Amino acid sequence: MDTWTLEKTGFDPADIASDGNRFLCANGFMGLRGVPEEAGSELFPAITLAGVYDQYRDRWREPVNAPNCLFVRTAFNGREYALGPKPHEAHLCELDYRSGIYRRETDFGPITVRSERFAYMPLCHLLADRYQVTAHEDGELTIRAGISTDIWDINGPHLFDFQFGQGDVLTVQAITGQKGIKVAVSQYIQKDFEAEESRIQDGTGVFRLLCCPVRKGQTLTLDIFAAVHTSEDTTDPLERCTHVRDLTGYNQLKARHISAWDEIRERSEISLEGSDEAALALHASQYHLNCVAPRHAISMSIPARGLSGQTYKGAIFWDSEIFFFPMFVYTQPEIARSLLRYRIETLPGALKKAAEYGYRGAFYAWESQEGGAEGCTNFNVVDVFTHRPVRTYFRDKQIHISADIAYALRQYYAITGDRTLLEEGGAKVILECARFCLSRANVRLDQREIDFADVIGPDEYHERVTNNAFTNHMIRSCLESALSLEQIFADDPGFLAALLREMDYEKDWTLLSDAASCIRGPRRKNGVIEQFDGYFDLEDCSLETVRGRLCDPREYWGGDHGVAGTTQIIKQADVIAMMALFPEDFTDQEVAANWAYYEPRTEHGSSLSACMYALTACRIGRLDEAWRLFMKTAEIDVTGGGKQWAGEIYIGGTHPASNGGAWMIAALGFAGLQVRNGIPELHPNLPRQISCLTFPITAGGRRMTVEVTHDGGTIRTL
Ligand code: BGC
């Protein structure tokens, strides 16, 4: 079995949304959905731009999709051939996970269309497509290649004031409605045939028409080069786009693209022996996370649905620090650094949000957009019955986000041994997050105890609860991380002293240690930690019972009216996520008791859930379950699984958190990798389905190779 290629035979309009995600090409700057070249908006074509957002009227703010600059459609003897809206059997497409190259071949009868394309990795503004048409009869071909403005937008339109250029390089420049950001794209072609050439411009874009006679059996090849720039990355994006005409040929570009991917894989690839299905799933996961990594930017994070479209408003969630960060910090620490730099740079947004709620310190956006702006609305779900927006509290109450960021900053230092990120703003972020936690605390004077009331933990189905175990534990760790700065900078006490002074932090500093020790620990029953105060009093029924109460499969389970809210059924790992992230704070017996209690009560309604259960399952020897949850996590973007709807909101896309989760299960769970006092160690828990795992890591600035078999594990320094 080929474990490097995702293949699909036949075109089915019912799969359009999911195939666009599964066959994504991306390079961190942009994501090109896996749709055919000739796609109009009904097939959801999108070139989603990282970090460029817009709001249209009062709709949700979301990332901007650029005009489709790889558009091509072919007509033979006056009839256009295009996929959709009907199924078409004679079609195959594939994505090579080694290099992110997408290929399709469609037999339309009189002609066959073949193409191969990629989002160029060495220079993130470029796309390339080799498009070939073979005629099966003599006739007249008309190829329409150009820039289509008929693209997918969930809450758009976002682009206005279009200017079209019809020179040898076709161009389109438009500006975003809200901020007037210029978005420019271009298309240039090289061809191996003579044709009569003309231009057309209509309401759907600007195109060149190439008309020529063809003989039966003749193949015409068109190499298409496209560029995308915005005024966020250069002052004159339109001018920059015209440089596509200077590119050398397609084959050279492709060779450089492949070697850029070879390097990425050399630094991050986990090779798994024993199960081809698992190897394919792991290759898919690693491809999908690597292809959306911001290699072009020193301060940028990754949206929860990667660059597969505008779902989840293209926003940055805790997914970045808790689920994407581990793979990067262990394999490509400069990317982990970029994710955290994004938080350092968006600190002003977090300070502002805290102040708006009447708190001090940094309260990071639950759904962070550029500059740390909060993308999460007060009404984040639409009720399927009334079609009314439902008041949700993710934005106001999911306070663990700030502590999660502090957690990742501390991990970065622990794993890389690199203090510079802390010096360059990271320490300040930790201190501001700790200050927020102090100011958000509810102090019970009569009991010398600190509660965190009115919060939401990772399990979002239970809103506005008190003393969520995960939140309290994360917050304690945040306060301890702030205190640990003293030890980290023990050789340079002046640095911390000056920082505390500059931040007017002396009083807060004196509170930290006392506060950390007073945070209410979780209540327990028979060794099981209560997820929040009163959780055990909720109706204890099975997942099937709760599912059986749904009147509509797209119904939202959480909040006041959701089927799960009054029961012990939870959306995703919560207590178990805490145990996975703080393994040293819990014994094996505690993990085992909590796993046994919570797993059957977990819907796994978020793709973030299974990996936390799998990680902890490894530790307690539930290896068959770890395997099952690993496959569920790793396969998600192979099968196109995961929830597609929350109420009436489409939430499909790729799943970088699961992709990162798959890496975590393999490396931290199966191989049992841990860094203690700067030294990596292995505690293997290899399931019987795997015979050998090998992967590269970087720790303490040194590159190493890990190999784990059923005979044990070794770490070799390179
Ligand atoms: C999950 C969150 C997650 C978000 C983005 C939600 O469904 O509950 O924990 O951050 O999706 O992945």
Side-chain angles (χ1 to χ4, degrees):
M1 173 180 167
D2 175 358
T3 63
W4 283 105
T5 316
L6 174 69
E7 289 170 355
K8 173 158 180 177
T9 309
F11 171 83
D12 185 347
D15 299 337
I16 287 166
S18 126
D19 285 350
N21 304 322
R22 298 193 308 141
F23 290 95
L24 179 83
C25 295
N27 62 11
F29 172 79
M30 58 186 157
L32 171 68
R33 286 177 57 78
V35 300
E37 282 79 358
E38 64 270 24
S41 53
E42 70 289 352
L43 299 191
F44 304 148
I47 298 175
T48 303
L49 303 178
V52 182
Y53 297 90
D54 180 66
Q55 180 169 21
Y56 178 65
R57 298 200 173 145
D58 60 352
R59 297 190 189 164
W60 282 0
R61 212 156 175 274
E62 63 186 8
V64 170
N65 287 335
N68 179 7
C69 42
L70 284 187
F71 179 90
V72 202
R73 196 178 273 199
T74 299
F76 184 75
N77 289 341
R79 177 170 163 203
E80 275 201 336
Y81 289 93
L83 288 173
K86 293 200 196 104
H88 189 97
E89 270 175 32
H91 171 74
L92 1 138
C93 62
E94 62 174 45
L95 176 65
D96 183 343
Y97 292 132
R98 264 187 227 98
S99 55
I101 294 183
Y102 167 93
R103 297 187 184 87
R104 55 92 58 110
E105 180 172 331
T106 314
D107 182 352
F108 285 114
I111 57 168
T112 292
V113 168
R114 264 183 220 95
S115 78
E116 176 183 275
R117 68 176 189 232
F118 51 88
Y120 190 51
M121 193 48 94
L123 191 62
C124 64
H125 299 278
L126 291 180
L127 300 165
D129 190 325
R130 170 161 281 180
Y131 183 90
Q132 296 181 305
V133 187
T134 304
H136 303 302
E137 305 163 14
D138 292 351
E140 184 75 21
L141 266 190
T142 306
I143 301 178
R144 181 156 67 96
I147 302 169
S148 162
T149 53
D150 182 25
I151 55 169
W152 186 36
D153 264 329
I154 297 182
N155 292 292
H158 297 296
L159 295 175
F160 302 90
D161 297 346
F162 285 89
Q163 290 169 30
F164 297 94
Q166 301 193 7
D168 61 331
V169 177
L170 297 179
T171 58
V172 172
Q173 177 165 278
I175 56 167
T176 61
Q178 197 184 15
K179 292 190 169 176
I181 298 169
K182 289 181 191 157
V183 175
V185 303
S186 61
Q187 191 197 77
Y188 182 70
I189 58 160
Q190 290 171 356
K191 56 186 182 4
D192 72 347
F193 57 96
E194 295 295 317
E196 203 179 289
E197 199 169 325
S198 58
R199 303 278 186 271
I200 52 165
Q201 186 190 314
D202 59 20
T204 65
V206 59
F207 309 93
R208 56 167 65 74
L209 288 184
L210 303 168
C211 301
C212 61
V214 271
R215 275 170 293 103
K216 181 175 175 184
Q218 193 182 348
T219 296
L220 309 185
T221 300
L222 198 64
D223 289 339
I224 305 171
F225 305 100
V228 182
H229 283 274
T230 78
S231 50
E232 297 288 278
D233 56 78
T234 182
T235 42
D236 190 349
L238 189 59
E239 194 277 327
R240 289 297 293 271
C241 278
T242 59
H243 291 285
V244 273
R245 71 160 73 81
D246 307 329
L247 290 170
T248 46
Y250 178 86
N251 288 336
Q252 271 157 303
L253 219 57
K254 180 175 157 189
R256 280 191 226 124
H257 172 77
I258 289 176
S259 62
W261 267 103
D262 287 346
E263 249 172 66
I264 293 171
R265 290 203 329 277
E266 200 181 303
R267 293 183 65 192
S268 61
E269 180 183 317
I270 300 193
S271 96
L272 179 154
E273 285 169 31
S275 160
D276 285 350
E277 285 72 25
L280 175 78
L282 205 46
H283 293 152
S285 298
Q286 296 208 258
Y287 164 73
H288 276 291
L289 189 52
N290 269 321
C291 80
V292 294
R295 293 188 168 73
H296 62 292
I298 55 162
S299 160
M300 190 173 239
S301 199
I302 301 172
R305 289 288 180 262
L307 298 174
S308 60
Q310 294 155 317
T311 311
Y312 276 133
K313 311 179 193 106
I316 314 302
F317 291 66
W318 71 311
D319 306 31
S320 289
E321 283 70 27
I322 304 298
F323 297 85
F324 316 159
F325 173 82
M327 174 177 112
F328 290 125
V329 76
Y330 276 112
T331 64
Q332 301 153 86
E334 68 284 1
I335 296 171
R337 200 178 163 92
S338 183
L339 304 186
L340 292 178
R341 274 202 154 280
Y342 168 79
R343 297 302 195 174
I344 294 174
E345 286 196 0
T346 55
L347 179 63
L351 296 174
K352 189 160 161 249
K353 177 173 168 187
E356 277 167 13
Y357 283 95
Y359 299 115
R360 298 161 61 238
F363 183 10
Y364 276 89
W366 179 243
E367 300 184 10
S368 181
Q369 297 183 333
E370 83 280 41
E374 177 62 271
C376 189
T377 62
N378 285 335
F379 296 86
N380 229 29
V381 169
V382 178
D383 182 62
V384 285
F385 304 112
T386 60
H387 311 295
R388 285 196 196 118
V390 180
R391 177 67 165 107
T392 48
Y393 293 89
F394 314 128
R395 167 196 174 115
D396 325 49
K397 310 294 178 190
Q398 215 153 162
I399 60 169
H400 65 83
I401 177 68
S402 292
D404 301 336
I405 292 166
Y407 174 88
L409 279 160
R410 193 172 172 187
Q411 291 280 102
Y412 179 86
Y413 172 68
I415 293 162
T416 62
D418 170 12
R419 202 170 69 176
T420 57
L421 192 64
L422 293 175
E423 289 162 3
E424 292 163 14
K428 190 168 181 182
V429 166
I430 294 178
L431 290 166
E432 290 292 12
C433 289
R435 174 134 75 185
F436 167 66
C437 297
L438 291 177
S439 94
R440 181 61 171 70
N442 303 90
V443 179
R444 306 258 307 259
L445 289 173
D446 56 339
Q447 302 186 13
R448 250 189 83 71
E449 179 186 286
I450 288 177
D451 290 347
F452 285 90
D454 202 7
V455 303
I456 300 182
D459 159 31
E460 293 175 343
Y461 288 166
H462 297 89
E463 298 187 344
R464 312 195 69 168
V465 301
T466 295
N467 290 326
N468 166 250
F470 176 98
T471 304
N472 284 18
H473 206 93
M474 250 315 165
I475 287 179
R476 186 177 310 109
S477 139
C478 174
L479 304 186
E480 287 166 359
S481 295
L483 285 165
S484 75
L485 293 170
E486 192 160 33
Q487 198 204 330
I488 295 171
F489 288 99
D491 62 339
D492 183 10
F495 169 78
L496 188 59
L499 186 60
L500 296 180
R501 226 174 303 118
E502 175 203 314
M503 294 174 68
D504 195 10
Y505 209 89
E506 283 80 358
K507 193 166 142 242
D508 296 297
W509 185 262
T510 59
L511 295 174
L512 288 176
S513 137
D514 219 14
S517 63
C518 289
I519 295 176
R520 233 286 306 284
R523 292 189 180 140
R524 290 163 205 257
K525 194 160 97 186
N526 303 328
V528 178
I529 287 180
E530 189 175 38
Q531 190 179 288
F532 53 82
D533 292 355
Y535 170 84
F536 287 142
D537 303 331
L538 298 176
E539 182 188 348
D540 191 13
C541 53
S542 73
L543 192 54
E544 285 59 49
T545 305
V546 169
R547 204 188 296 279
R549 291 175 185 164
L550 290 173
C551 298
D552 183 308
R554 295 192 302 173
E555 215 176 302
Y556 182 60
W557 290 40
D560 284 349
H561 304 293
V563 286
T566 53
T567 74
Q568 291 190 27
I569 296 303
I570 62 173
K571 177 178 182 183
Q572 65 198 78
D574 193 308
V575 167
I576 289 300
M578 165 180 79
M579 295 185 158
L581 297 176
F582 296 94
E584 292 177 1
D585 296 350
F586 302 94
T587 63
D588 291 352
Q589 287 75 4
E590 281 175 305
V591 176
N594 283 275
W595 205 99
Y597 191 83
Y598 281 108
E599 206 283 329
R601 290 170 177 77
T602 304
E603 188 220 353
H604 297 297
S606 158
S607 59
L608 277 52
S609 187
C611 93
M612 293 292 171
Y613 278 96
L615 275 172
T616 40
C618 289
R619 170 172 175 186
I620 55 176
R622 295 183 86 136
L623 294 186
D624 281 340
E625 271 132 328
W627 176 256
R628 174 177 61 81
L629 294 163
F630 165 71
M631 287 305 290
K632 183 180 160 109
T633 302
E635 269 185 343
I636 195 161
D637 291 328
V638 175
T639 57
K643 256 195 185 177
Q644 301 289 310
W645 298 94
E648 284 190 347
I649 311 289
Y650 176 65
I651 55 168
T654 60
H655 299 82
S658 294
N659 307 152
W663 185 93
M664 284 197 266
I665 303 167
L668 312 182
F670 296 157
L673 172 67
Q674 268 180 26
V675 171
R676 248 187 246 249
N677 304 321
I679 315 285
E681 304 171 356
L682 300 174
H683 304 273
N685 306 291
L686 218 49
R688 64 192 158 79
Q689 292 84 349
I690 301 178
S691 53
C692 180
L693 272 184
T694 322
F695 54 95
I697 58 162
T698 301
R702 281 174 306 142
R703 287 170 83 162
M704 297 166 229
T705 312
V706 174
E707 187 178 299
V708 178
T709 64
H710 288 279
D711 298 328
T714 51
I715 302 181
R716 241 177 343 104
T717 303
L718 295 177

